[in-house]
């Protein structure tokens, strides 16, 4: 869509989609309340007021509500819970089979564009700005802009996230593509973007004066929503965050954890009681003394005599009337203790843990079980499928936006010299930590599983250690081909008689790290050495050098006893 000057000013004054924008702001306020850390309620999102009004309708007693507000401290409990969820979502950037590629008519342009993305800190933009916006600014818009004055032969566009809070009006077509975008820049500057132009209007009183009117060659508005999935099928202005479906559970979790702290204050400590007695201070009434204030009014202060009988430390003290006749209880025990009410405390602790685990499971697909034995093989497979589907859902939304940014920036720089681009954030994610994989490998060894299974597990451990670091992966692959008897300990090799059958291999095994360090000291980095050779030839030559080290080393005596 191309806006005339009059149409642009009319939409600044009378936005067409103000209702959708306001609704999008409210949705983000709720997400931000749980996802973004604030040091006090003064800096929390506006949803804080909605939350405490909701809590007040539940806690109808004024004293209970006041205590609840007192204990609702910042950062709130759900911030930590969302951080745990976010850690799982970050795995979307570490898929083994992720791919980003682009084609140009000129190979040099492809190299230059790669450098351009590096200069723009493109990876940081997606891993930091866009990822955080997914949690607390899901309706943000990616804007591609041009420098006002071009420096150099080619333009250098830049891109950034625009918060929905700054948007005055935005129009989408049926496919969800932005037709035009109007937003605030500072106090009096307004930016208007459409299919052919960038325009800047300066507001002076009730007038809008155009200060910049620059064209672009795209044929579409250089802005797109960061996230593609809509909350409602035909509403392209309000997006569905991965956290949208658990917002009510986050509200309840925060209410429950805060209420539990209220319970902890009184139910965690015993109640002491004793028979009441008359205070020696004549003016005392119920532990307080009335006194005349300078302004003529009456005030009260604690009775010093009664204060001596107060409890030191946590807990409560109650006075009960003393028996008056022989039919009353025995007077021989004038002091008693009511133990802490552990049943309620235990229930609340377990309920908070249950809800927390359920929220994590719904948000990430990861089921948190106290022990591995509680998950059978089918449950583990189902869990991995759920985790993969959720990460793929996030990755697919990111991929659409990434592809749009590449297409838009490359077209602005190179025009028709840019051909196409492909972005795929993968499906093979690192769903287990290196520690978890190592434990599984140890259990597999103890269970006596076949060597090919152990090798597959070792490969997984190497993959997660290297992640997307090609140099580290190459190093681990080289060492894998060099170290003998990888799945056996020296003690196991001794039991099998390897010290006699293959003393050279045994010596290389137990001194492998030392020999590799010596090789790199003499020849340099093992990855870079012989990089022009075929891998098979490279491994053979390194092996010859390692065997030379073995021949120079006296065969070490194997340990007499080896732990199981």
């Amino acid at each position: 869509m191309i806006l005339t000057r009059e149409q642009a000013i009319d939409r600044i004054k009378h936005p067409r989609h103000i209702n959708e924008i306001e609704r999008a702001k409210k949705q983000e306020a709720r997400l931000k309340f749980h996802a973004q850390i604030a040091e006090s309620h003064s800096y929390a999102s506006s949803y804080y007021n909605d939350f405490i009004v909701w809590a007040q309708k539940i806690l109808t007693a004024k004293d209970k509500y006041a205590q609840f507000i007192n204990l609702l401290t910042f950062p709130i409990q759900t911030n930590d819970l969302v951080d745990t969820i976010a850690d799982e979502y970050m795995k979307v950037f570490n898929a083994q089979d992720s791919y980003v590629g682009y084609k140009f008519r000129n190979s040099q342009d492809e190299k230059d564009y790669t450098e351009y993305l590096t200069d723009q800190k493109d990876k940081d933009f997606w891993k930091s700005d866009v990822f955080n916006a997914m949690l607390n600014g899901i309706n943000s818009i990616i804007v591609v802009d041009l420098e006002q004055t071009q420096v150099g032969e080619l333009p250098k566009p830049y891109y950034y996230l625009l918060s929905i809070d700054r948007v005055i009006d935005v129009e989408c077509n049926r496919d969800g593509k932005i037709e035009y975008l109007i937003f605030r820049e500072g106090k009096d500057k307004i930016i208007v973007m459409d299919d052919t132009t960038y325009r800047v209007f300066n507001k002076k009183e009730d007038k809008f004066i155009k200060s910049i009117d620059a064209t672009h060659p795209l044929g579409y508005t250089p802005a797109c929503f960061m996230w593609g999935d809509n909350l409602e099928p035909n509403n392209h202005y309000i997006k569905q965050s991965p956290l949208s479906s658990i917002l009510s559970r986050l509200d309840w979790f925060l209410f429950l954890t805060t209420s539990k702290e209220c319970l902890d204050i009184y139910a965690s400590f015993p109640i002491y009681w004793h028979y009441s007695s008359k205070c020696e201070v004549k003016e005392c009434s119920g532990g307080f003394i009335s006194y005349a204030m300078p302004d003529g009014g009456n005030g009260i202060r604690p009775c010093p005599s009664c204060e001596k009988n107060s409890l030191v430390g946590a807990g409560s003290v109650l006075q009960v009337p003393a028996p008056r006749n022989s039919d009353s209880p025995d007077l021989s025990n004038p002091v008693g203790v009511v133990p802490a009410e552990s049943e309620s405390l235990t229930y609340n602790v377990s309920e908070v843990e249950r809800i927390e685990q359920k929220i994590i499971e719904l948000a990430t697909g990861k089921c948190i079980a106290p022990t591995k034995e509680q998950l059978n093989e089918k449950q583990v497979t189902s869990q991995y499928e759920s985790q993969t589907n959720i990460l793929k859902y996030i990755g697919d939304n990111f991929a659409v936006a990434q592809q749009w940014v590449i297409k838009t920036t490359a077209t602005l720089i190179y025009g028709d010299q840019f051909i196409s681009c492909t972005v795929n954030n993968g499906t093979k994610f690192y769903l287990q930590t290196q520690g978890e994989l190592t434990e599984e490998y140890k259990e597999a060894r103890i269970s006596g599983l076949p060597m090919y299974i152990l090798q597959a597990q070792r490969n997984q451990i190497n993959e997660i250690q290297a992640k997307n670091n090609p140099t580290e992966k190459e190093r681990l692959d080289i060492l894998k081909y060099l170290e003998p008897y990888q799945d056996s300990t020296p003690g196991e090799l001794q039991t099998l008689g390897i010290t006699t059958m293959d003393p050279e291999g045994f010596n290389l095994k137990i001194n492998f790290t030392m020999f590799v360090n010596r090789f790199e000291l003499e020849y340099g980095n093992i990855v870079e050495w012989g990089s022009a050779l075929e891998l098979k030839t490279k491994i053979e030559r390194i092996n010859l050098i390692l065997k030379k080290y073995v021949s120079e080393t006296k065969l070490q005596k194997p340990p007499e006893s080896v732990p199981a």
Side-chain angles (χ1 to χ4, degrees):
M1 178 181 290
I2 301 173
L3 297 176
T4 65
R5 179 182 179 280
E6 291 72 22
Q7 286 175 324
I9 292 175
D10 179 65
R11 281 161 175 73
I12 293 171
K13 293 180 177 179
H14 310 289
R16 291 191 172 187
H17 299 283
I18 191 169
N19 292 334
E20 290 91 340
I21 292 170
E22 288 303 315
R23 185 179 166 193
K25 290 178 182 178
K26 286 184 178 180
Q27 180 212 26
E28 283 193 2
R30 192 176 184 187
L31 287 166
K32 197 172 292 185
F33 178 65
H34 293 295
Q36 185 169 294
I37 292 176
E39 60 268 36
S40 73
H41 70 84
S42 302
Y43 302 102
S45 86
S46 58
Y47 183 72
Y48 169 78
N49 297 319
D50 296 326
F51 179 78
I52 62 175
V53 167
W54 171 71
Q56 190 175 24
K57 291 177 181 178
I58 300 173
L59 302 171
T60 53
K62 290 184 178 180
D63 58 337
K64 289 183 179 180
Y65 173 69
Q67 183 74 303
F68 180 88
I69 296 300
N70 247 355
L71 294 172
L72 183 61
T73 55
F74 287 80
I76 56 176
Q77 303 267 15
T78 46
N79 290 158
D80 184 52
L81 179 53
V82 172
D83 279 349
T84 300
I85 294 170
D87 288 342
E88 292 297 316
Y89 288 165
M90 278 297 292
K91 293 175 181 177
V92 73
F93 296 110
N94 293 323
Q96 301 172 46
D97 56 343
S98 61
Y99 173 78
V100 177
Y102 27 81
K103 292 182 180 179
F104 294 82
R105 301 187 192 281
N106 185 327
S107 60
Q108 185 58 45
D109 290 343
E110 186 174 331
K111 294 178 182 178
D112 292 343
Y113 186 73
T114 300
E115 290 182 11
Y116 160 79
L117 290 179
T118 302
D119 292 341
Q120 293 294 314
K121 298 182 179 179
D122 183 71
K123 289 184 178 180
D124 292 339
F125 174 73
W126 297 102
K127 287 187 176 182
S128 180
D129 297 6
V130 174
F131 183 82
N132 289 329
M134 178 190 70
L135 300 174
N136 54 48
I138 193 66
N139 302 302
S140 297
I141 296 172
I142 301 176
V143 174
V144 176
D145 207 343
L146 287 168
E147 295 174 330
Q148 190 171 345
T149 303
Q150 181 175 317
V151 178
E153 184 181 347
L154 297 174
K156 283 193 175 180
Y158 59 96
Y159 45 96
Y160 58 91
L161 275 181
L162 177 71
S163 169
I164 196 69
D165 291 333
R166 292 172 55 193
V167 175
I168 297 173
D169 197 17
V170 58
E171 175 83 32
C172 294
N173 63 18
R174 290 182 179 180
D175 297 327
K177 295 178 181 178
I178 293 177
E179 296 281 346
Y180 67 80
L181 173 65
I182 304 173
F183 62 94
R184 297 178 187 85
E185 181 73 38
K187 186 178 179 181
D188 299 319
K189 186 185 292 185
I190 295 173
I191 313 294
V192 179
M193 294 180 173
D194 62 22
D195 289 359
T196 60
T197 58
Y198 294 97
R199 278 175 283 190
V200 178
F201 291 86
N202 293 318
K203 183 180 178 183
K204 292 187 178 180
E205 298 179 351
D206 294 332
K207 295 182 180 181
F208 297 92
I209 302 171
K210 185 169 63 175
S211 59
I212 297 175
D213 191 343
T215 60
H216 63 77
L218 293 172
Y220 59 87
T221 304
C224 80
F225 277 100
M226 176 202 79
W227 195 257
D229 196 22
N230 300 325
L231 193 64
E232 299 167 352
N234 298 318
N235 188 339
H236 299 291
Y237 304 92
I238 304 169
K239 304 301 178 178
Q240 178 169 319
S241 162
L243 301 179
S244 293
S245 61
I246 60 168
L247 283 173
S248 61
R249 292 177 184 266
L250 289 172
D251 285 347
W252 178 247
F253 180 77
L254 180 58
F255 177 83
L256 185 62
T257 52
T258 307
S259 299
K260 176 187 168 296
E261 291 180 354
C262 296
L263 178 68
D264 290 344
I265 288 177
Y266 72 86
S268 300
F269 306 102
I271 299 173
Y272 299 89
W273 63 267
H274 64 84
Y275 292 134
S276 59
S277 59
K278 188 175 181 180
C279 180
E280 60 187 19
V281 179
K282 185 187 297 185
E283 295 82 4
C284 177
S285 175
F288 293 93
I289 297 174
S290 177
Y291 67 96
M293 298 178 68
D295 60 1
N298 291 323
I300 58 172
R301 62 172 178 263
C303 170
S305 178
C306 293
E307 271 195 316
K308 293 178 182 177
N309 297 322
S310 63
L311 184 67
V312 177
S316 303
V317 177
L318 298 177
Q319 294 187 29
V320 298
R324 296 180 179 278
N325 53 57
S326 58
D327 296 330
S328 299
D330 188 7
L331 288 172
S332 61
N333 189 15
V335 177
V337 179
V338 179
E341 211 283 276
S342 59
E343 189 174 339
S344 294
L345 291 169
T346 302
Y347 167 78
N348 277 277
V349 169
S350 62
E351 182 66 2
V352 166
E353 290 178 352
R354 184 190 70 80
I355 294 175
E356 181 177 15
Q357 291 172 8
K358 186 63 178 177
I359 289 173
I360 292 173
E361 181 182 352
L362 290 172
T364 68
K366 185 174 184 179
C367 179
I368 301 176
T371 60
K372 286 186 178 180
E373 288 73 16
Q374 291 183 341
L375 292 177
N376 58 40
E377 185 177 348
K378 288 184 178 179
Q379 288 173 320
V380 170
T381 302
S382 176
Q383 173 178 289
Y384 287 162
E385 287 179 356
S386 296
Q387 288 178 274
T388 299
N389 289 338
I390 290 171
L391 290 175
K392 188 176 182 301
Y393 163 73
I394 294 172
D396 288 348
N397 271 277
F398 283 168
V400 172
Q402 286 175 275
Q403 195 163 322
W404 180 89
V405 168
I406 292 173
K407 173 189 172 185
T408 303
T409 53
T411 301
L412 286 172
I413 300 171
Y414 301 101
D416 59 6
Q417 295 302 303
F418 167 72
I419 300 173
S420 65
C421 65
T422 303
V423 177
N424 187 337
N425 284 317
T427 58
K428 297 179 181 179
F429 303 102
Y430 297 102
L431 299 179
Q432 291 175 284
T433 65
Q434 189 171 354
E436 290 171 339
L437 289 171
T438 302
E439 283 300 315
E440 286 187 6
Y441 173 74
K442 289 179 181 177
E443 291 174 9
R445 283 189 67 257
I446 294 171
S447 301
L449 292 181
M451 289 295 181
Y452 65 85
I453 292 180
L454 297 180
Q455 181 181 5
Q457 291 183 324
R458 271 191 290 102
N459 290 341
Q460 280 186 304
I461 294 171
N462 288 347
E463 287 284 349
I464 201 168
Q465 181 172 330
K467 286 198 174 176
N468 291 326
N469 185 337
T471 304
E472 179 67 11
K473 186 177 185 305
E474 187 177 354
R475 178 181 179 82
L476 292 174
D477 285 341
I478 292 169
L479 297 179
K480 177 178 68 176
Y481 289 119
L482 293 172
E483 182 182 358
Y485 308 112
Q486 294 175 51
D487 297 310
S488 302
T489 65
E492 291 169 338
L493 296 176
Q494 176 191 358
T495 303
L496 293 170
I498 300 299
T499 54
T500 303
M501 293 185 291
D502 183 16
E504 185 182 66
F506 180 79
N507 201 356
L508 178 57
K509 168 72 177 180
I510 62 177
N511 293 295
F512 184 71
T513 302
M514 181 181 72
F515 290 155
V516 170
N517 290 341
R518 179 180 170 184
F519 176 91
E520 294 193 312
L521 187 64
E522 294 177 0
Y523 296 95
N525 188 290
I526 201 168
V527 174
E528 297 172 0
W529 185 89
S531 56
L533 300 172
E534 290 185 359
L535 180 61
K536 181 176 179 295
T537 305
K538 177 174 177 174
I539 296 300
E540 289 173 350
R541 294 189 182 180
I542 296 175
N543 251 323
L544 289 175
I545 296 171
L546 295 181
K547 288 179 180 179
K548 174 176 171 289
Y549 296 158
V550 170
S551 65
E552 295 173 356
T553 306
K554 184 178 179 181
L555 179 62
Q556 293 192 13
K557 183 180 179 181
E560 294 181 2
S561 62
V562 179

